[in-house]
Amino acid sequence: SFRDRFNLKNLFIVANILTYYTRGRNIIFGCDPISPIELKAPYEYIAIARLLGLPMDKAYAVVTQNVIDAIAHGERRRYESS
């Protein structure tokens, strides 16, 4: 959350650790807006991913392919367990 300085600092610390250990693979960004004005545009997420050191292709995947893959994986698991 960008509302609090403490949370913002922790967000970047944890995100840096996450990108280091996952090598930038399979990362999905999201937000928890209180009002519509706090919604983030896809290019804002790409910019944040670039700040974290991800190359452009992986930063772009944060808002496109990774989300599609996660939804497809969940759907496959749901139908396999039925």
Side-chain angles (χ1 to χ4, degrees):
S1 170
F2 294 117
R3 291 180 216 104
D4 182 11
R5 285 186 120 189
F6 180 73
N7 288 340
L8 181 63
K9 178 182 173 185
N10 284 337
L11 170 76
F12 279 101
I13 291 170
V14 171
N16 274 326
I17 294 169
L18 179 68
T19 55
Y20 174 77
Y21 283 108
T22 62
R23 296 185 190 119
R25 294 184 355 228
N26 301 325
I27 294 176
I28 299 173
F29 285 162
C31 68
D32 184 22
I34 291 176
S35 66
I37 198 74
E38 293 180 350
L39 286 172
K40 303 288 180 240
Y43 286 109
E44 290 177 308
Y45 287 117
I46 293 171
I48 292 169
R50 294 288 293 151
L51 284 173
L52 295 172
L54 292 177
M56 191 62 184
D57 60 331
K58 288 185 181 179
Y60 186 73
V62 163
V63 295
T64 56
Q65 194 58 44
N66 293 353
V67 179
I68 294 167
D69 291 346
I71 292 170
H73 180 70
E75 288 293 316
R76 280 193 307 271
R77 290 185 67 186
R78 186 170 84 175
Y79 289 117
E80 286 174 0
S81 66
S82 300

